Amino acid sequence: MTDLIMMGKEAKKAAFVLSQMSENVKNQSLMAIANQLEKQTDAILAANQKDVQNAKQQGLSEALIDRLLLTPERLKAIADDVRHVVSLPDPVGKIIDGGQLNSGLRIKRVRVPLGVVATIYESRPNVTIDVASLCLKTGNAIILRGGKETRYSNEILVKVIQQALVEAGLPQYAVQAVTDPDRNLVMQLLKLDRYVDMLIPRGGAVLHELCKQHSTIPVIVGGIGVCHTFVEQSADLERSINVIVNAKAQRPSTCNTLETLLVQESIASQFLPKLALELSEKGVKFHADSTSFSILQKMDVEVYALQESCLYREWGSLDLNVVVVKDFEQAIAHINKYGTQHSEAILTSSQQLARQFVAQVEAAAVYINASTRFTDGGQFGLGAEVAVSTQKLHARGPMGLEALTSYKWICEGDYLSRL
Amino acid sequence: MTDLIMMGKEAKKAAFVLSQMSENVKNQSLMAIANQLEKQTDAILAANQKDVQNAKQQGLSEALIDRLLLTPERLKAIADDVRHVVSLPDPVGKIIDGGQLNSGLRIKRVRVPLGVVATIYESRPNVTIDVASLCLKTGNAIILRGGKETRYSNEILVKVIQQALVEAGLPQYAVQAVTDPDRNLVMQLLKLDRYVDMLIPRGGAVLHELCKQHSTIPVIVGGIGVCHTFVEQSADLERSINVIVNAKAQRPSTCNTLETLLVQESIASQFLPKLALELSEKGVKFHADSTSFSILQKMDVEVYALQESCLYREWGSLDLNVVVVKDFEQAIAHINKYGTQHSEAILTSSQQLARQFVAQVEAAAVYINASTRFTDGGQFGLGAEVAVSTQKLHARGPMGLEALTSYKWICEGDYLSRL
């Protein structure tokens, strides 16, 4: 039987040990994990096949099955990702600021690990390794809760990690997984604030809402992207097309994908036909408001009348909402009403409107003349990404290693009292 | 009737306007508030007297009544505090980092206001002005929920602030208060995550626990300080006495006050008698474990046998727990078990043990040879303090203006697509 209190205690003990470890020791454990993943390929793939067979029996979609499938190549890539984490600089120990105060107190603010991180995620077994390696690099212990579809894969992956940890002289329970599919365990995990410092849900809106409603652990809400691109009338229309095609069609399942295109009325009839043909070639279907519908229905493209509910949807597919707005203010109002504070873009030649857009749009990432697809820890130069936050506390946007740290004030005196 | 949804909507609208305001405009509104507080002294003191009379009728303690009492001098000091906030640098708009990426994307991370802040606090009317001015300085709207003892004071203070805001051309509802004493309103406020970005409880452990359990808004937990000082055997005992007296007796009601003194066994019988006399002169009463009890009972001091429950208590008074520990490891274990991650100190001559203490103690502020009384935004050079966080997310320790901000990634390209 899974005992979450016990897991919490073990995680806290492990975090205490990890927080004292040098970057070198932490890197050695990561190398050991990468090597073990490759060495134990056969066993890992066999366990993964059990998950794949179960998924097939349960009639899961091809897309879902593909997400949980491991192959020798994919496992090699995962191991290489761990080696990449070794190469990243460790933020722990970095001095943020400090100095000597008038009182004589010498003070510095130093980065420390958060402690224990928990994550609840869906069917991609690579997340198991990904999150574990980023947490270990920053000296955090981690409690993983993957989807039940990946139960056997996660069991063996965590076993392999734990073997590598012991081999490297680190505590076995620095990485633990709750693989028992009992759903009550999720509710128990959400209340584990005594042992867990941060909870990162990685999944759909329902999971995030569940965590927000019930967690007593601080939650990083994020990952839901209803992203917009506003084509303002002064934009270079020719060059806008590529940016929009990229934002919508490059990888439609991602959270930084464009879901609703806003086009200024004055250029709609000129711009939309050409754009629609290019998007249609990529397989895009349109959900058009009345003005754009009247333009698009004359074209040889798949177009539906827009329902308001679509404006709240993260399609995750080649569906695109199209809305014609009268002016800049209407575009801003639309984005701040329907957006999820993820990634929002304006295409414009006006520097003044670009500045205004940046100031008025509430979002983690705001783009001027670029595709929203750039919102990503790797693209932003963070080296890695543990999640994308769409809230404003602690971390906003792509979260790299620094988001897995806190800080401590270290104060030194010569037997100093406060006046 | 108080309509919190409506208040949330108004706060969000006001936050949108505030986020666009220059530092200059925000400062003007603060100056207007300071001036109005002085101009309307008579009306404010009259309303405050209603609270004071009610408190007396209800038999509240002298200490509590003193906390809620406003005098012309106190009001002048509060107005001057607002003028001090004007003089602080505004973190909004500050570029944290950035540069041009290989993709060609120019990226920068810029500080922005959090949006809407809510705070729930107890009977000090100065907090109303304090928090409001710090939030306005950083472009945040605020919803205040003070204690029912300060209802009339808070009503007029917020009215005065709102008049000053309108005078300065800022939205009236940038500062709002929930003064209706109905306790259901607190539970409603805790669920206002759609409009409120951060909740700061300022009060006792019960309030913090209530917020942690029920809030769907991210909460800053803090303010509870069960602080320790460990006298390691190599410490300069003569000079240790002043530090301990300062930590315990300077202002015992504060959260950075020493509550449990840990003394290493090898020096206990030499050190404790002298220390006890000095502390006793300040009125300190001792709750001593068996070893220290046998030492202290021979002295002319007030000493009680320590109950374990005392070790979890934030006394807020001149009571002091005394525990004799065998060694360094026992001291660390004690602090990490009973501490509240607020402020912890070691007195020692060993640099190696000092380093180990800093690394192994879990706390917002860790002191080497200094009094825990220094944990304070002003003392730490932050210019102001909105609260003291004892959690690890977003902000830890004294929270200054920066803790009232988030950031936004601003990305610019030349019609750039992701490869």
Side-chain angles (χ1 to χ4, degrees), chain B residues 265-381:
Chain B
E265 197 171 26
S266 53
I267 54 163
S269 59
Q270 171 197 355
F271 180 57
L272 278 176
K274 188 151 184 210
L275 173 74
L277 287 179
E278 299 259 3
L279 283 168
S280 186
E281 248 177 49
K282 300 279 179 183
V284 172
K285 292 175 283 194
F286 301 91
H287 301 263
D289 73 344
S290 57
T291 312
S292 54
F293 190 87
S294 68
I295 298 168
L296 295 176
Q297 68 172 348
K298 297 175 203 149
M299 320 276 312
D300 182 23
V301 300
E302 197 174 338
V303 59
Y304 305 91
L306 176 72
Q307 318 271 322
E308 205 208 349
S309 61
C310 296
L311 295 173
Y312 292 105
R313 267 186 80 164
E314 188 180 23
W315 285 110
S317 61
L318 285 165
D319 293 76
L320 176 67
N321 306 316
V322 182
V323 172
V324 172
V325 292
K326 225 178 112 243
D327 52 23
F328 180 88
E329 284 67 31
Q330 227 178 67
I332 296 285
H334 182 104
I335 292 171
N336 285 342
K337 179 172 179 188
Y338 296 104
T340 52
Q341 304 201 24
H342 193 294
S343 302
E344 308 292 358
I346 186 171
L347 304 175
T348 182
S349 296
S350 161
Q351 291 215 359
Q352 195 227 311
L353 289 178
R355 265 200 304 275
Q356 210 172 320
F357 188 84
V358 161
Q360 297 189 344
V361 161
E362 268 211 282
V366 187
Y367 290 87
I368 302 161
N369 299 334
S371 164
T372 53
R373 285 279 295 128
F374 282 105
T375 304
D376 172 270
Q379 292 289 328
F380 277 15

Side-chain angles (χ1 to χ4, degrees), chain A residues 114 358 392 396 407-408, chain B residues 114 358 392 396 407-408:
Chain A
L114 274 174
V358 161
K392 290 188 248 177
R396 198 177 196 193
Y407 54 79
K408 207 179 238 185
Chain B
L114 273 174
V358 161
K392 291 188 248 176
R396 198 177 194 192
Y407 53 80
K408 206 180 236 185

Side-chain angles (χ1 to χ4, degrees), chain B residues 180-191:
Chain B
D180 179 340
D182 181 359
R183 292 212 62 205
N184 289 324
L185 291 171
V186 171
M187 290 307 284
Q188 285 177 41
L189 179 56
L190 296 183
K191 305 291 182 194

Side-chain angles (χ1 to χ4, degrees), chain A residues 140-153:
Chain A
N140 293 291
I142 173 96
I143 298 177
L144 299 151
R145 166 67 178 193
K148 65 175 187 312
E149 323 78 49
T150 41
R151 174 177 189 166
Y152 296 106
S153 309

Side-chain angles (χ1 to χ4, degrees), chain A residues 12 16 19-20 97 101 103 105 107 109 112-116 191 193-194 197-198 209 212-220 234-237 239-240 242-244 246 250-251 256 332 336 341 347-349 351 354 356-371 373-376 379-382 391-398 402 405-419, chain B residues 12 16 19-20 97 101 103 105 107 109 112-116 191 193-194 197-198 209 212-220 234-237 239-240 242-244 246 250-251 256 332 336 341 347-349 351 354 356-371 373-376 379-382 391-398 402 405-419:
Chain A
K12 220 170 156 58
F16 182 78
S19 72
Q20 328 277 313
D97 48 29
L101 302 169
S103 59
L105 197 68
I107 188 173
R109 207 154 48 123
V112 298
L114 274 174
V116 179
K191 304 292 182 194
D193 58 278
R194 195 163 157 198
D197 297 287
M198 175 165 83
E209 197 53 32
K212 195 156 85 173
Q213 291 299 328
H214 297 286
S215 176
T216 54
I217 306 165
V219 181
I220 298 291
S234 72
D236 181 330
L237 300 184
R239 299 171 78 203
S240 293
N242 277 340
V243 175
I244 294 165
N246 183 261
Q250 192 193 28
R251 223 177 124 200
N256 54 23
I332 296 285
N336 285 342
Q341 305 200 23
L347 304 175
T348 183
S349 297
Q351 290 216 0
Q356 208 172 322
F357 188 83
V358 161
Q360 299 190 342
V361 162
E362 269 211 279
V366 187
Y367 290 87
I368 302 160
N369 299 334
S371 164
R373 285 280 297 128
F374 281 105
T375 304
D376 172 89
Q379 293 289 327
F380 276 16
L382 304 180
Q391 61 169 36
K392 290 188 248 177
L393 251 70
H394 187 65
R396 198 177 196 193
E402 199 182 281
T405 66
S406 178
Y407 54 79
K408 207 179 238 185
W409 298 87
I410 299 175
C411 312
E412 200 168 351
D414 186 20
Y415 294 87
L416 202 62
S417 296
R418 178 170 169 180
L419 293 180
Chain B
K12 220 170 156 58
F16 181 79
S19 72
Q20 328 276 311
D97 48 28
L101 302 169
S103 59
L105 197 68
I107 188 172
R109 208 154 48 124
V112 297
L114 273 174
V116 179
K191 305 291 182 194
D193 59 277
R194 193 162 160 199
D197 296 287
M198 175 163 84
E209 197 53 32
K212 194 157 84 173
Q213 290 300 328
H214 297 287
S215 176
T216 54
I217 306 165
V219 181
I220 298 293
S234 72
D236 181 330
L237 299 184
R239 301 173 76 201
S240 292
N242 277 341
V243 175
I244 295 165
N246 183 259
Q250 192 194 25
R251 224 177 125 202
N256 53 24
I332 296 285
N336 285 342
Q341 304 201 24
L347 304 175
T348 182
S349 296
Q351 291 215 359
Q356 210 172 320
F357 188 84
V358 161
Q360 297 189 344
V361 161
E362 268 211 282
V366 187
Y367 290 87
I368 302 161
N369 299 334
S371 164
R373 285 279 295 128
F374 282 105
T375 304
D376 172 270
Q379 292 289 328
F380 277 15
L382 303 180
Q391 60 168 38
K392 291 188 248 176
L393 251 70
H394 187 64
R396 198 177 194 192
E402 199 181 282
T405 66
S406 178
Y407 53 80
K408 206 180 236 185
W409 298 88
I410 299 175
C411 312
E412 200 169 350
D414 186 22
Y415 294 88
L416 203 61
S417 295
R418 179 169 169 182
L419 292 181

Side-chain angles (χ1 to χ4, degrees), chain A residues 36-49 70 75 152-153 156-157 160:
Chain A
Q36 283 296 339
L37 286 173
E38 290 176 351
K39 220 183 264 175
Q40 303 197 37
T41 296
D42 292 348
I44 293 168
L45 295 187
N48 180 251
Q49 270 307 311
L70 290 176
L75 199 53
Y152 296 106
S153 309
I156 192 157
L157 288 172
V160 168

